[in-house]
Amino acid sequence: MKQLGKFVIFIGQLFVRRESFRTYMKLVFDEAIKVGYNSIFIVVIVSVFMGAVTTVQTAYNLISPLIADPVIALVVRDMTLIELAPTITAIVYAGKVGSNLAGELGTMRITEQIDALEVMGINATSYLVLPKIVGSILMFPLLVIIAAFVSIYGGYVTALVTGVISGTDYIIGIQMDFIPFQVIFAMIKAVTFGFIVASISAFKGFYTEGGALEVGKSSTNAVTSSCIAILAADFLLAYLLAPLLTL
Amino acid sequence: MIEANNISKSFDGKQVLFDVSAVFQKGKTNLIIGASGTGKSVLLKCIVGLSHPDEGSVYFDKRDFTHANKELQTEVRREMGMLFQGGALFDSTNVEKNVMFPLDVLTKMRYEEKLERVNFCLERVGLENVNKKMPSEISGGMKKRVGIARAIVNNPNYLFCDEPNSGLDPQTSIRIDNLIKDITAEYNITTVVVSHDMNSVLEIGETVIFIYQGKKLWEGTRDDIAASDVRELNDFVFASRVMKELKDSR
Ligand SMILES: Nc1ncnc2c1ncn2[C@@H]1O[C@H](COP(=O)(O)OP(=O)(O)OP(=O)(O)O)[C@@H](O)[C@H]1O
Ligand SMILES: [Mg+2]
């Protein structure tokens, strides 16, 4: 509870005493490259397998003469879009970007770099953390789009290679009963998760106390807390927004 | 001139500073000395506002900094330069960008002007041709000097140094000490240096305060430090045999 209060104050701190807009633009750009571009590789790898496994699994589970083959692809598409692409990618992202971010800020804290900024009269919270959060909110949805695309495409390739369903059925299936709101839903999740990972990890790193050992702990804590928050938010969003899918 | 009035500070119920008052004069190097763990760094942090004193206040040229609003605090801070114990260089950028950093965020200077100023400061601390080196690629003494260059780049009115020569060889120590002293006189800065090195006390201590277990026990200049009759200070100053012999020979 005390942590939560401190977190809220921390987020409030982001918006006071800001530097020039141009300074921020540049920082956000740098961070976006760092968190976005550098995560593409791992996201692609994970997504290929995500699509492949979902396709194979669904194909085996729906092995009934009553269910048409394209439905398998439809299930793959729906699962990927509204659940797997945002959430699994977020977990991976927390592991890569979250730990990195907490480690970076933690190191800056214990080597007095954050103090150095404060003494210069710069609001270290907003200078260091705000660009990371904004960068993450901008880039994570893009990663989710890549993940969804690669994953669905991965499913297609799997279908072709393993022959669990035919390529034509797959293509038909992923176009069946498509609800465009699914994409918006996925993007809402993505923005939320992008914020969660960056803000929680930054918080954990920023308040590191002690030495190198504690920096490691902050990194681990950042990942653990981010993951829990992601799953809780995922549930909450599903509960609030899923009814809108059927409208 | 900086005035610290009746500063007290505790951490988790353990009092670290007891009612410390001191005046740090403009154009002079003012030293805070004392044994390890007596609260020197805490006092310095209270002065620069990285830590908020439980009681007392700090005045920067008559401006109450401790109880100032954010605007005034920022204004005073932008007149400060600080050298941290470990240098506290930003390790993700090179030496040149480190030194240029305060100019980048705090001024509207053109790039060429900034570069000129950076090179001037680096030259002033005796560093040339290291502009493009990363902090991890230079030695501890060089880091300190880059730290000084960064601290003075924006023409501060106040300069703070926490143990500028810990971990350095005697020769480099003296160079850094003298550098701080010269810069202070040259630009008429109010400089506060935390140190436990007797060499620097005698070398640059224009005014000295002695902290013992969180209390200020003595103040004076380097010239009357040897003559003091405060036992704790004597123990501190004449801890080494050489110093003792020096005193006896007088
Ligand atoms: N953030 C903190 N939380 C709790 N205790 C602290 C904190 N900072 C300092 N202290 C305590 O305050 C006391 C004085 O510490 P300080 O760092 O000022 O010593 P110092 O005089 O600078 O010593 P040194 O010469 O070794 O740097 C120590 O007992 C230390 O444990
Ligand atoms: Mg200290």
Side-chain angles (χ1 to χ4, degrees), chain B residues 40-41 85 162-163 194:
Chain B
K40 304 182 299 292
S41 294
Q85 204 160 338
D162 195 351
E163 311 211 352
V194 166

Side-chain angles (χ1 to χ4, degrees), chain B:
Chain B
M1 184 175 66
I2 305 171
E3 292 156 279
N5 296 334
N6 312 94
I7 305 289
S8 293
K9 177 78 188 170
S10 308
F11 289 107
D12 317 312
K14 184 175 151 273
Q15 192 156 0
V16 175
L17 290 177
F18 299 82
D19 201 31
V20 176
S21 298
V23 175
F24 305 105
Q25 288 165 17
K26 196 178 172 76
K28 292 195 171 164
T29 38
N30 305 276
L31 259 59
I32 301 174
I33 63 168
S36 190
T38 49
K40 304 182 299 292
S41 294
V42 173
L43 177 60
L44 194 66
K45 284 196 173 147
C46 284
I47 293 170
V48 301
L50 285 172
S51 192
H52 196 84
D54 300 337
E55 272 166 61
S57 41
V58 180
Y59 289 82
F60 283 76
D61 290 311
K62 306 294 174 199
R63 293 172 293 183
D64 184 346
F65 177 64
T66 311
H67 304 100
N69 56 21
K70 275 269 181 290
E71 283 75 48
L72 180 58
Q73 238 173 23
T74 306
E75 186 189 312
V76 175
R77 280 211 161 137
R78 297 199 165 179
E79 299 171 20
M80 293 181 190
M82 182 154 176
L83 169 66
F84 287 83
Q85 204 160 338
L89 302 181
F90 304 123
D91 44 26
S92 55
T93 56
N94 63 26
V95 166
E96 180 178 293
K97 293 211 177 99
N98 258 285
V99 179
M100 200 181 283
F101 184 83
L103 302 178
D104 281 340
V105 281
L106 305 178
T107 72
K108 294 195 164 33
M109 286 162 81
R110 280 184 305 117
Y111 179 76
E112 294 76 30
E113 288 176 293
K114 288 191 279 195
L115 191 62
E116 197 179 321
R117 176 73 191 151
V118 167
N119 284 330
F120 173 80
C121 290
L122 282 173
E123 213 170 291
R124 188 70 192 73
V125 298
L127 287 174
E128 272 152 79
N129 306 319
V130 296
N131 287 39
K132 301 295 174 207
K133 284 229 164 46
M134 298 300 278
S136 55
E137 296 169 340
I138 58 176
S139 73
M142 288 160 95
K143 276 186 199 152
K144 290 246 158 100
R145 283 188 277 163
V146 175
I148 294 177
R150 186 178 68 182
I152 62 171
V153 75
N154 200 19
N155 289 313
N157 292 330
Y158 315 102
L159 180 64
F160 303 93
C161 307
D162 195 351
E163 311 211 352
N165 43 28
S166 64
L168 300 181
D169 64 274
Q171 241 178 341
T172 313
S173 287
I174 289 173
R175 269 183 73 184
I176 290 193
D177 281 342
N178 283 322
L179 185 62
I180 292 171
K181 188 180 163 198
D182 294 347
I183 289 170
T184 301
E186 204 173 313
Y187 301 106
N188 203 19
I189 305 174
T190 307
T191 298
V192 180
V193 178
V194 166
S195 178
H196 48 203
D197 182 60
M198 270 322 290
N199 275 326
S200 18
V201 175
L202 299 177
E203 194 81 35
I204 61 169
E206 291 174 287
T207 81
V208 181
I209 68 167
F210 174 65
I211 305 283
Y212 182 79
Q213 295 185 352
K215 301 186 183 82
K216 188 184 81 178
L217 285 197
W218 183 85
E219 66 186 317
T221 70
R222 61 184 159 182
D223 300 320
D224 32 73
I225 199 164
S228 104
D229 48 11
V230 176
R231 192 176 53 82
E232 288 84 355
L233 179 61
N234 274 314
D235 289 348
F236 177 79
V237 173
F238 303 109
S240 81
R241 193 172 48 82
V242 184
M243 283 295 195
K244 243 186 232 114
E245 280 169 9
L246 213 65
K247 187 184 190 189
D248 296 340
S249 71
R250 279 220 183 157

Side-chain angles (χ1 to χ4, degrees), chain A residues 28-112:
Chain A
V28 166
F29 188 75
D30 290 349
E31 292 299 332
I33 300 261
K34 218 160 67 187
V35 301
Y37 184 73
N38 295 337
S39 308
I40 291 178
F41 180 69
I42 181 83
V43 165
V44 166
I45 297 282
V46 170
S47 305
V48 168
F49 283 97
M50 200 158 74
V53 174
T54 323
T55 306
V56 173
Q57 271 303 319
T58 317
Y60 281 114
N61 287 342
L62 298 184
I63 194 150
S64 147
L66 293 176
I67 299 169
D69 272 0
V71 173
I72 295 168
L74 179 148
V75 172
V76 170
R77 180 201 70 205
D78 284 2
M79 270 174 64
T80 304
L81 222 49
I82 61 179
E83 182 57 31
L84 295 178
T87 313
I88 301 283
T89 312
I91 303 275
V92 172
Y93 185 74
K96 181 162 166 57
V97 171
S99 62
N100 194 312
L101 207 153
E104 185 188 327
L105 288 175
T107 306
M108 290 190 79
R109 166 65 73 193
I110 64 161
T111 56
E112 297 180 310

Side-chain angles (χ1 to χ4, degrees), chain A residues 129-144:
Chain A
V129 178
L130 191 62
K132 292 190 195 309
I133 295 183
V134 174
S136 179
I137 290 177
L138 291 177
M139 292 315 275
F140 187 64
L142 295 183
L143 289 175
V144 172

